[in-house]
Amino acid sequence: MVANDLGHLKRSKMGLRFSSSKFWDLLRRKVAFIIQPLVEPTKKIVGFDDLTYSWHDLVSRHNHNALAVASIWAPVVAIEFKNDEKHMISPPKVVYLIILKNQIYLLDIYVFYTLVSAVVGFLLGARDRLGEIRSLEAIHRLFEQFPQAFMDSLHIRLSNRTSHQSSSKDVEQSKFDAARFSPFWNEIINNLREEDYINDLEKELLLMPKNSGKLPLVQWPLFLLASKIFLAKDIAIESKGESQGELWERICRDDCMKYAVEECFLTLKLILTEILENEGRMWVDRLYEDIEESIRNKSIHVDFDLSKLPLVISRVSSLLGPLKEEENPASKGGAVNAVIDLYDVVRHDVLSINMRENYETWNLLAKARTEGHLFSNLKWPKDAEMRAQVKRLYSLLTLQESAANVPINLEARRRLEFFTNSLFMKMPAAKPVREMLSFCVFTPYYSETVLYSKDELEKKNEDGISILFYLQKIFPDEWKNFLARINRDENAQDSEIFDSPRDALELRFWASYRGQTLARTVRGMMYYRKALMLQSYLERSASGDIEAPISNNDATDTQGYEFSPDARAQADLKFTYVVTCQIYGMQREEQKPEAADIALLMQRNEALRVAYIDSVETLNDGKVQTDFYSKLVKADINGKDKALPFWFAPDGWHLTIGERMNHHASFFFIEIYSIKLPGNPKLGEGKPENQNHAIIFTRGNAIQTIDMNQDNYFEEALKMRNLLEEFHTDHGIRPPTILGVREHVFTGSVSSLASFMSNQETSFVTLGQRVLANPLKVRMHYGHPDVFDRVFHITRGGISKASRIINISEDIYAGFNSTLRQGNVTHHEYIQVGKGRDVGLNQIALFEGKVAGGNGEQVLSRDIYRLGQLFDFFRMMSFYFTTVGYYFCTMLTVLTVYVFLYGKAYLALSGVGEELQERAQVMDSTALSAALNTQFLYQIGIFTAVPMILGFILEQGFLRAVVSFVTMQFQLCSVFFTFSLGTRTHYFGRTILHGGARYQATGRGFVVCHIKFSENYRLYSRSHFVKGLEVVLLLIVYLAYGYIEGGALSYILLSISSWFMALSWLFAPYLFNPSGFEWQKAVEDFRDWTNWLFYRGGIGVKGGESWEAWWDEELAHIRTLGGRLAETILSLRFFIFQYGIIYKLDVQGHDTSLSVYGISWVVLAVLILLFKVFTFSQKVAVNFQLLLRFIQGLSLLLALAAIAVAVALTDLSIVDIFASILAFIPTGWGIVSIAVAWKPLVKKLGLWKSIRSIARLYDAGMGMLIFIPIAFCSWFPFVSTFQTRLMFNQAFSRGLEISLILAGDNPNSGI
């Protein structure tokens, strides 16, 4: 056996070695293909020994024009070389070339992975049957198969149900399945109504009958059968000349129409037989026997006048109308008259049969009709099932409008489509509740919103928009449904609702359930308990349990299942929910409204448990000692247990004991556990410790980690026991230790930005993770809502690492930990959990910055190192490109743009580019000319969009995917994704250079307010604005001094991608800013920005109040010697502009000596001196203000005079002056950048205040360059209107404009 294992291992290593060699061979061939076109131009440039440089060349002239060669090779970032006798390359250059070559490998493999993984993920999703049901039409078409699919996948196996059906038992089996499917389907629909996604009419149409009655057919929901009777009637009337078979064939083309006709026929017989006696019942029997005889003889169109069907339908409807009401003399009289009318219509207008065959029966009926006692004994339907059949038949005969668009709400549609689609997906068989694995849901919470208060909902921003107004416009149909649910008119005012304490509380919950609040999360997670109670309740009766609370004959009755003691006990044994509220004890002591809201959630959800850290101060030997306890509490609503009082009312107001009793607000909580901790548990970022201290309070076999901005759905909770069985399913060599779960981002409807973020996240959590789990086997834990093997993880370090800074992205380390300890992470898409994402650009940027910084810290972690050491080659590559490699390649993408542009700038400023082009034309060298005019198209973003497009196609269909993608383009999604590229690059690169990633609190509210210009400037100045202006500067330099063959068109093709990137980085924060182009906002923003810019900092002043304080905060990341050296080296690039442009000035002629460059530094020093004169501190010069003003005026006159004399007496031109400004601006920024890197040294030299003044000047200049276009666009009202419609849907756009009109007394309107 050992020999066999060793032989297998040897063969595996040989195969891996062969695969690796083939991989490197392919890469070698690919590189040869890429670099071949550049080999000949390189040889020519190296051979030119007499190139003329327009500046004083220090490097390239006597070194084979090395920098010129590097500039040409820079766009592809790879150089192939050949060793020959003439040109030997030194070992350092070999190392450099290998590094550059590896960069192109990384970028190409990244693009290759993106494309291949998208295709593989698409095929895997299609194999798993994702997206088969993606419309209401598909639900209508396949609904008949849902009961059987439900019984096969989500229901326990029943002994009296066979999967192989004979033709004689098809109907019985279908009805059996439908009877057990209907209570679950109806509970799903009831929950949709409770959540206000559907209205009462839609609920009635969507509910499915119990199918436990006497009818020999399956009764389907009304939304499938609505209006089908009237369509069948029209077909019957138009069928003159057709045979019975042809008529029935036309009806059977629509299965729902056939079901409606059959049900009406049989249900009417059942009702008439139930309510009529003696002669009346005899008439019903005789009539139906004649109809069935005609059907057998295929003479229905001969024996009955089908053109009179409208009369029959009218009379039957008149009969059913009174019958569905409560019995009273008036309704009973109406019913008797209606059945008499029905008899007369059928007897005299419809029947065309020969009555002689049953003469005695018809004669007896005619005599009874004449004497008036034919229908005198009318038995009123009192049985609940019979009354339901009466109402249903009445609806079938009166609903003339199609229900093809029911439900109307898009979220309700999406949920029903996904649930019904998942019934056909492969999943483990469900076990009975009593045999399933137990699990716990675990939610960390700090101080986020629990439940919106009345004040928060009504608080208006400067536009007059409140959160409640916003929600009413974003979700208009759900608002109407809510008003109907609380019995309010749809035109009811908000103040009227808040006047009622009960309705006010319901309104607070309605709004909170549409935000990213803890209340929404708790409601969603408690659906697990509700689902388990329903499953347990019905399974006991279905399995024939002698202790079942209901009889086996009524196994589908769910009335009162939530109050069944056995069902509640079973659910509580299998499910617990722990919300770990870290500072709940502090909030309770300080009487915070969050504590009151958490108490309310515990009161409404008895299975909810709250864990928190409590600190207690005690005196020990005269010293104050603080002890820390980890506690778990629950609600004691009835006060039966020994509980501690909570002095808050559920609505958050502080009341006395008497007031609490009067308001029915008495609330007590029970302290279940209290564990003393060895010290303060908060050692890292907070969230990991919040989970680690409370994990001891969880129980069961599994833990599902849920963030507090997530949601769940009842229909998805039904699948939880199937998911838990994945732990016992074969998933390869090792059993699963983490079960990945699909997420649905529910914040996509808020704004265009939210939609972009939603689509991006959806692509990753579905298609992306699908491929990571299988076949790559490198899926980790990327956050919630994964399900952990509880025993495996609590015995191997827990689910969170808590080291400060390096574990800032604590979630993914759980995946690292599990994989390193021989765990297996899987992914499952037949179940989904809701997830909220950031909806404003600032929130998104902070979130992406946090994740990018976290990935930067992961590069430095031992976990990544160990995984890289232990993985095989291909798994290592897969892991790299799906974690830190993604961010590294993103950074390389941006760096490639810079290298390309700096290479072009070098060719332009040195003059080599123009001379090489001229020589290429003389030598007729097309290869050299092509190399010099390489066009770098920034198209990697197109490839990264492929997974999103294929995900759209898979789950929405091709046409809807195209529409969605085109809509996103019109909403400027390319601007957003390009901006996000800069965000990830900045934070990842800064963390690599300096470390010190920080947790960013993004906030999870609705972004309906305008973000001030200064706030955007503070957030994006260093990450986007500086870099964007640098790209603009490079493009201007190349335009001004470069030689471009082909003129303007060639320049546009060469630079359009870079211009797009630069402009996106500069203006995206204001393009996606609500009301960002309104003139009055622009005026306010400018005033606020100038106040912030010139307000001096000090002790206790925050960065949001003063530029100086903000500037100090921005420099806090530069702490180490390595970081200072790196910043210094990177800042040297800014000096190339001055060095190159100075030699291009007319005033210097053809002089290329270093003295020209030296004189330029003298001029720059004079300019800095003038700046210091004009910015001399007023406080210092308080005693000689007049002298200072005189010196400033004289300096200005002398400077202007010097410029005038230089223009008149030398070759200095006006163009030279602007070119000099273009040269000195980057140099000044380079000086500032180096100075701030060596801040301690500069402070010792006494130059820090001067550097700070120059830095303030640069920020003022950058701010003005960005603000001027915004102010210009704000002059035109249509720009603001376009932007509003770009960001928000049409309903909210109309609402926003109306609010501006109504806000005429707004104090800002006078600006």
Side-chain angles (χ1 to χ4, degrees):
M1 174 183 272
V2 175
N4 290 336
D5 289 343
L6 291 175
H8 175 73
L9 180 61
K10 184 176 181 180
R11 289 193 298 271
S12 299
K13 290 185 176 180
M14 291 176 62
L16 181 61
R17 190 181 301 114
F18 174 77
S19 300
S20 299
S21 64
K22 294 293 292 181
F23 173 80
W24 290 113
D25 182 62
L26 287 173
L27 283 181
R28 183 184 62 80
R29 295 174 182 271
K30 181 183 185 303
V31 171
F33 172 76
I34 292 176
I35 68 172
Q36 191 65 38
L38 294 179
V39 173
E40 181 183 348
T42 301
K43 290 182 177 180
K44 292 182 180 298
I45 296 174
V46 170
F48 292 148
D49 296 328
D50 56 344
L51 288 180
T52 302
Y53 287 81
S54 61
W55 62 18
H56 186 83
D57 184 71
L58 298 173
V59 179
S60 296
R61 185 185 300 276
H62 303 295
N63 197 20
H64 305 294
N65 305 305
L67 292 181
V69 173
S71 299
I72 295 175
W73 281 84
V76 295
V77 203
I79 301 177
E80 182 65 37
F81 58 92
K82 292 183 179 179
N83 291 330
D84 53 35
E85 296 178 358
K86 294 183 179 179
H87 302 286
M88 295 298 293
I89 302 180
S90 60
K93 289 187 177 180
V94 174
V95 176
Y96 174 69
L97 296 178
I98 291 175
I99 293 173
L100 293 180
K101 194 184 299 183
N102 286 335
Q103 290 180 3
I104 192 66
Y105 289 169
L106 295 176
L107 284 177
D108 285 348
I109 296 174
Y110 167 60
V111 174
F112 174 79
Y113 167 77
T114 301
L115 297 178
V116 173
S117 66
V119 174
V120 172
F122 176 85
L123 296 176
L124 290 176
R127 184 200 65 179
D128 294 338
R129 307 187 68 176
L130 277 169
E132 289 187 356
I133 299 178
R134 50 177 174 248
S135 65
L136 288 179
E137 181 184 357
I139 293 180
H140 282 246
R141 186 176 66 254
L142 299 173
F143 199 94
E144 186 180 359
Q145 303 176 27
F146 293 166
Q148 180 182 350
F150 178 85
M151 295 297 294
D152 291 338
S153 57
L154 297 186
H155 204 279
I156 61 172
R157 298 292 182 259
L158 299 178
S159 58
N160 57 343
R161 178 182 182 269
T162 58
S163 57
H164 302 287
Q165 304 173 11
S166 61
S167 58
S168 61
K169 295 185 178 180
D170 280 352
V171 175
E172 294 181 11
Q173 189 68 61
S174 297
K175 189 171 182 179
F176 181 89
D177 291 346
R180 277 143 186 83
F181 170 68
S182 62
F184 294 96
W185 174 264
N186 291 342
E187 193 62 32
I188 293 171
I189 301 305
N190 288 330
N191 280 282
L192 287 176
R193 180 64 191 98
E194 291 175 6
E195 296 168 11
D196 298 315
Y197 289 120
I198 60 176
N199 56 34
D200 293 327
L201 176 59
E202 291 177 319
K203 174 185 173 181
E204 180 184 353
L205 294 174
L206 288 167
L207 288 175
M208 187 172 182
K210 294 167 59 177
N211 282 290
S212 59
K214 304 175 182 178
L215 290 178
L217 51 75
V218 177
Q219 290 183 290
W220 302 106
L222 287 173
F223 81 101
L224 299 175
L225 312 180
S227 77
K228 299 298 183 182
I229 291 298
F230 293 92
L231 294 176
K233 174 203 68 175
D234 296 337
I235 292 175
I237 294 175
E238 297 170 358
S239 64
K240 294 180 180 179
E242 295 182 359
S243 65
Q244 175 183 312
E246 293 173 336
L247 171 61
W248 186 241
E249 181 184 358
R250 290 180 61 188
I251 292 177
C252 290
R253 290 174 186 172
D254 186 345
D255 289 338
C256 293
M257 189 183 301
K258 180 185 74 170
Y259 298 147
V261 172
E262 291 176 344
E263 182 177 342
C264 284
F265 179 75
L266 296 174
T267 305
L268 181 60
K269 179 182 179 181
L270 177 66
I271 294 173
L272 291 176
T273 303
E274 182 71 21
I275 66 174
L276 299 178
E277 296 180 345
N278 303 327
E279 292 90 347
R281 184 171 297 179
M282 183 188 302
W283 169 66
V284 174
D285 294 339
R286 179 73 266 150
L287 177 62
Y288 269 80
E289 288 179 8
D290 290 340
I291 294 175
E292 291 169 356
E293 180 68 22
S294 296
I295 293 174
R296 285 193 295 270
N297 296 333
K298 298 183 178 180
S299 59
I300 190 75
H301 59 294
V302 176
D303 298 337
F304 296 87
D305 187 358
L306 299 182
S307 64
K308 302 299 182 181
L309 280 178
L311 288 175
V312 176
I313 294 175
S314 174
R315 298 304 185 270
V316 173
S317 300
S318 300
L319 167 63
L320 297 175
L323 287 179
K324 68 185 182 68
E325 306 296 337
E326 296 293 334
E327 182 181 7
N328 57 68
S331 59
K332 191 167 186 177
V336 171
N337 294 333
V339 75
I340 292 174
D341 291 342
L342 175 62
Y343 171 83
D344 291 340
V345 167
V346 173
R347 173 68 180 80
H348 300 292
D349 297 330
V350 178
L351 285 178
S352 300
I353 61 175
N354 185 3
M355 299 183 179
R356 294 180 180 179
E357 298 179 0
N358 300 286
Y359 176 77
E360 294 182 359
T361 301
W362 286 110
N363 188 40
L364 181 63
L365 292 174
K367 182 178 178 181
R369 168 71 179 89
T370 303
E371 295 176 356
H373 60 80
L374 177 59
F375 304 114
S376 58
N377 295 325
L378 189 66
K379 183 180 178 182
W380 204 262
K382 296 183 178 179
D383 178 67
E385 182 179 347
M386 183 55 60
R387 290 178 61 82
Q389 295 290 1
V390 170
K391 292 181 179 180
R392 177 176 170 83
L393 182 58
Y394 180 80
S395 298
L396 272 175
L397 297 178
T398 54
L399 286 173
Q400 299 188 32
E401 296 183 0
S402 172
N405 293 323
V406 173
I408 298 175
N409 184 273
L410 297 179
E411 175 64 10
R413 289 186 183 184
R414 184 200 62 79
R415 285 173 54 176
L416 292 179
E417 289 165 8
F418 182 83
F419 171 72
T420 54
N421 187 92
S422 67
L423 296 178
F424 300 95
M425 298 176 68
K426 183 180 179 181
M427 65 180 76
K431 286 190 175 181
V433 173
R434 64 178 60 189
E435 299 177 14
M436 66 175 283
L437 295 176
S438 57
F439 71 103
C440 176
V441 177
F442 198 47
T443 300
Y445 166 84
Y446 186 68
S447 62
E448 298 87 348
T449 301
V450 179
L451 187 69
Y452 285 123
S453 66
K454 175 178 179 292
D455 294 337
E456 289 174 325
L457 292 177
E458 291 187 316
K459 183 180 180 181
K460 297 180 179 180
N461 63 9
E462 57 264 26
D463 292 329
I465 302 174
S466 63
I467 291 178
L468 184 57
F469 172 85
Y470 175 82
L471 293 175
Q472 290 169 349
K473 297 305 177 183
I474 291 291
F475 309 109
D477 54 336
E478 297 172 28
W479 174 249
K480 291 181 181 178
N481 297 340
F482 166 73
L483 292 176
R485 180 164 60 86
I486 63 173
N487 298 318
R488 294 276 185 171
D489 183 77
E490 65 178 29
N491 296 319
Q493 298 296 318
D494 300 342
S495 57
E496 299 176 11
I497 300 176
F498 281 118
D499 287 341
S500 168
R502 171 185 165 277
D503 292 347
L505 186 60
E506 288 296 318
L507 177 56
R508 292 177 60 199
F509 274 105
W510 180 87
S512 301
Y513 290 156
R514 277 142 190 85
Q516 299 182 50
T517 61
L518 183 62
R520 180 174 190 164
T521 305
V522 170
R523 181 198 63 173
M525 296 309 119
M526 294 308 296
Y527 278 142
Y528 284 130
R529 184 171 185 263
K530 191 174 184 180
L532 290 175
M533 285 193 295
L534 179 61
Q535 290 169 329
S536 175
Y537 186 80
L538 293 178
E539 283 168 7
R540 294 194 67 198
S541 59
S543 60
D545 193 334
I546 59 175
E547 298 180 3
I550 54 178
S551 65
N552 293 335
N553 296 329
D554 200 7
T556 60
D557 187 7
T558 61
Q559 185 176 3
Y561 78 91
E562 292 178 303
F563 302 102
S564 167
D566 182 76
R568 294 161 68 92
Q570 284 288 343
D572 290 337
L573 283 174
K574 298 298 180 180
F575 167 76
T576 55
Y577 185 26
V578 177
V579 178
T580 169
C581 307
Q582 183 174 353
I583 58 173
Y584 174 64
M586 185 187 305
Q587 290 173 332
R588 196 180 64 209
E589 291 177 1
E590 297 176 359
Q591 300 182 355
K592 293 288 186 67
E594 290 85 358
D597 293 336
I598 292 173
L600 176 59
L601 294 182
M602 284 195 286
Q603 187 180 16
R604 291 168 67 103
N605 303 278
E606 60 176 319
L608 177 63
R609 305 290 183 263
V610 172
Y612 65 97
I613 297 174
D614 195 19
S615 59
V616 179
E617 292 185 351
T618 57
L619 281 177
N620 188 6
D621 297 332
K623 297 181 180 179
V624 177
Q625 178 179 337
T626 303
D627 296 325
F628 295 90
Y629 295 85
S630 183
K631 295 187 176 183
L632 183 72
V633 298
K634 71 172 184 178
D636 180 27
I637 302 173
N638 300 318
K640 295 180 179 179
D641 297 311
K642 184 179 179 181
L644 302 175
F646 183 78
W647 306 104
F648 271 104
D651 53 10
W653 292 313
H654 182 261
L655 301 177
T656 64
I657 296 178
E659 289 171 334
R660 286 191 292 110
M661 296 301 294
N662 293 335
H663 287 77
H664 306 283
S666 58
F667 172 66
F668 293 81
F669 71 87
I670 304 169
E671 190 175 280
I672 306 173
Y673 297 112
S674 179
I675 302 173
K676 186 175 182 180
L677 303 175
N680 190 347
K682 189 177 184 304
L683 303 175
E685 303 298 336
K687 183 179 177 182
E689 296 91 332
N690 197 10
Q691 297 181 117
N692 291 336
H693 92 90
I695 198 171
I696 194 174
F697 299 134
T698 63
R699 54 188 175 87
N701 303 93
I703 299 176
Q704 184 178 29
T705 52
I706 293 291
D707 210 346
M708 63 76 50
N709 63 334
Q710 295 197 247
D711 195 5
N712 198 19
Y713 317 110
F714 176 80
E715 63 272 16
E716 301 305 313
L718 295 172
K719 309 172 198 173
M720 190 60 184
R721 56 181 178 176
N722 299 77
L723 179 66
L724 292 173
E725 288 304 308
E726 296 284 358
F727 284 116
H728 299 152
T729 306
D730 182 17
H731 286 282
I733 299 176
R734 309 187 191 284
T737 52
I738 298 179
L739 304 178
V741 178
R742 174 191 176 106
E743 289 179 322
H744 163 70
V745 182
F746 55 74
T747 50
S749 63
V750 174
S751 65
S752 61
L753 283 176
S755 176
F756 302 155
M757 192 68 177
S758 171
N759 293 330
Q760 177 178 278
E761 284 293 309
T762 301
S763 175
F764 173 70
V765 300
T766 55
L767 188 145
Q769 295 189 19
R770 187 183 309 148
V771 178
L772 295 182
N774 182 33
L776 297 183
K777 286 294 183 181
V778 291
R779 186 192 187 276
M780 299 299 159
H781 173 56
Y782 304 101
H784 309 80
D786 292 354
V787 180
F788 289 78
D789 183 329
R790 178 173 175 270
V791 176
F792 179 91
H793 284 90
I794 64 175
T795 57
R796 289 167 176 83
I799 62 174
S800 292
K801 285 196 172 184
S803 297
R804 188 179 296 275
I805 299 178
I806 197 167
N807 294 140
I808 187 172
S809 298
E810 81 287 341
D811 295 324
I812 199 169
Y813 285 92
F816 295 165
N817 187 47
S818 182
T819 304
L820 283 169
R821 285 156 177 78
Q822 301 185 353
N824 186 9
V825 185
T826 60
H827 184 67
H828 310 279
E829 295 191 82
Y830 53 79
I831 185 172
Q832 66 176 354
V833 174
K835 176 72 172 180
R837 276 301 179 197
D838 308 286
V839 297
L841 186 63
N842 291 9
Q843 295 175 338
I844 294 172
L846 288 172
F847 170 76
E848 291 192 332
K850 181 187 74 172
V851 175
N855 271 268
E857 294 292 345
Q858 290 169 33
V859 174
L860 312 175
S861 69
R862 67 186 68 178
D863 303 78
I864 292 287
Y865 171 77
R866 288 170 178 168
L867 286 169
Q869 291 288 314
L870 297 175
F871 279 154
D872 60 71
F873 176 77
F874 292 102
R875 199 176 178 193
M876 177 193 70
M877 295 290 283
S878 302
F879 172 71
Y880 169 77
F881 282 102
T882 54
T883 50
V884 296
Y886 167 76
Y887 287 89
F888 187 71
C889 290
T890 299
M891 185 175 66
L892 280 184
T893 302
V894 176
L895 290 179
T896 303
V897 179
Y898 278 90
V899 171
F900 169 75
L901 292 178
Y902 269 102
K904 292 298 182 181
Y906 170 80
L907 293 176
L909 294 175
S910 66
V912 174
E914 182 177 355
E915 183 166 351
L916 287 176
Q917 188 64 54
E918 291 174 352
R919 294 197 181 192
Q921 293 174 358
V922 172
M923 300 171 60
D924 195 20
S925 176
T926 56
L928 179 57
S929 179
L932 291 172
N933 291 278
T934 302
Q935 295 174 1
F936 178 77
L937 296 180
Y938 184 71
Q939 299 297 341
I940 290 181
I942 293 179
F943 296 115
T944 57
V946 171
M948 187 185 302
I949 297 172
L950 290 181
F952 283 163
I953 294 175
L954 177 64
E955 303 199 26
Q956 298 181 12
F958 181 77
L959 291 179
R960 288 174 62 185
V962 171
V963 171
S964 298
F965 186 73
V966 172
T967 302
M968 287 177 60
Q969 298 305 317
F970 280 118
Q971 291 179 323
L972 304 182
C973 71
S974 298
V975 174
F976 167 76
F977 289 123
T978 303
F979 187 82
S980 297
L981 191 75
T983 304
R984 292 191 290 267
T985 299
H986 171 76
Y987 286 101
F988 181 78
R990 192 172 77 173
T991 304
I992 292 294
L993 286 178
H994 305 286
R998 293 180 299 172
Y999 179 82
Q1000 303 281 357
T1002 59
R1004 291 171 173 146
F1006 299 103
V1007 179
V1008 296
C1009 61
H1010 172 79
I1011 307 300
K1012 294 185 179 297
F1013 180 89
S1014 59
E1015 183 175 345
N1016 280 330
Y1017 187 86
R1018 288 192 294 271
L1019 184 58
Y1020 303 116
S1021 173
R1022 298 303 182 259
S1023 60
H1024 294 81
F1025 296 163
V1026 171
K1027 297 177 176 62
L1029 288 172
E1030 182 180 355
V1031 173
V1032 170
L1033 187 63
L1034 287 166
L1035 292 170
I1036 292 174
V1037 167
Y1038 183 62
L1039 176 63
Y1041 301 108
Y1043 180 83
I1044 306 170
E1045 186 180 21
L1049 179 60
S1050 179
Y1051 176 79
I1052 292 173
L1053 293 175
L1054 182 143
S1055 62
I1056 185 171
S1057 298
S1058 300
W1059 275 110
F1060 180 80
M1061 184 185 74
L1063 295 177
S1064 297
W1065 287 1
L1066 292 174
F1067 296 105
Y1070 306 100
L1071 185 63
F1072 294 113
N1073 186 15
S1075 304
F1077 293 97
E1078 290 183 15
W1079 177 248
Q1080 101 180 18
K1081 294 287 191 308
V1083 173
E1084 292 177 357
D1085 284 356
F1086 184 77
R1087 183 184 298 124
D1088 175 76
W1089 180 64
T1090 53
N1091 291 337
W1092 168 79
L1093 187 65
F1094 296 109
Y1095 179 71
R1096 295 186 178 276
I1099 298 176
V1101 178
K1102 298 181 180 180
E1105 302 171 356
S1106 166
W1107 175 89
E1108 292 185 5
W1110 166 79
W1111 197 54
D1112 288 336
E1113 294 173 1
E1114 283 295 309
L1115 306 180
H1117 63 278
I1118 306 176
R1119 302 183 305 274
T1120 63
L1121 177 62
R1124 301 183 198 280
L1125 291 174
E1127 288 290 336
T1128 302
I1129 294 172
L1130 290 175
S1131 300
L1132 294 178
R1133 69 187 188 273
F1134 294 110
F1135 296 98
I1136 189 177
F1137 295 94
Q1138 180 182 344
Y1139 189 78
I1141 293 175
I1142 289 301
Y1143 288 98
K1144 294 288 186 178
L1145 299 180
D1146 296 333
V1147 69
Q1148 64 88 29
H1150 299 286
D1151 187 5
T1152 59
S1153 64
L1154 277 177
S1155 60
V1156 175
Y1157 185 56
I1159 293 173
S1160 68
W1161 276 98
V1162 174
V1163 175
L1164 179 61
V1166 171
L1167 293 177
I1168 295 175
L1169 183 61
L1170 287 174
F1171 172 75
K1172 286 298 298 178
V1173 170
F1174 286 104
T1175 59
F1176 195 79
S1177 175
Q1178 300 291 331
K1179 292 183 178 180
V1180 176
V1182 67
N1183 296 325
F1184 48 93
Q1185 284 287 330
L1186 184 60
L1187 178 60
L1188 176 63
R1189 291 174 184 252
F1190 173 75
I1191 294 174
Q1192 290 175 343
L1194 181 61
S1195 300
L1196 177 61
L1197 292 176
L1198 289 175
L1200 294 176
I1203 294 174
V1205 170
V1207 171
L1209 301 181
T1210 67
D1211 293 331
L1212 182 69
S1213 63
I1214 301 298
V1215 175
D1216 284 352
I1217 296 176
F1218 286 101
S1220 300
I1221 296 174
L1222 191 65
F1224 291 143
I1225 286 176
T1227 301
W1229 183 254
I1231 294 172
V1232 170
S1233 300
I1234 294 175
V1236 298
W1238 300 95
K1239 178 180 176 181
L1241 179 61
V1242 175
K1243 278 192 171 182
K1244 289 182 180 180
L1245 296 176
L1247 301 175
W1248 183 246
K1249 290 186 177 180
S1250 299
I1251 295 297
R1252 187 171 59 192
S1253 299
I1254 296 174
R1256 192 199 305 268
L1257 176 66
Y1258 271 93
D1259 276 317
M1262 286 190 294
M1264 289 303 300
L1265 287 175
I1266 298 170
F1267 183 80
I1268 289 173
I1270 297 172
F1272 177 77
C1273 292
S1274 300
W1275 271 94
F1276 306 100
F1278 69 87
V1279 176
S1280 179
T1281 303
F1282 169 77
Q1283 187 222 18
T1284 302
R1285 293 186 180 276
L1286 181 79
M1287 290 193 62
F1288 303 101
N1289 62 37
Q1290 190 174 1
F1292 179 62
S1293 296
R1294 290 197 302 269
L1296 178 58
E1297 291 167 2
I1298 293 172
S1299 72
L1300 290 174
I1301 294 174
L1302 296 178
D1305 57 347
N1306 194 316
N1308 297 328
S1309 60
I1311 297 178

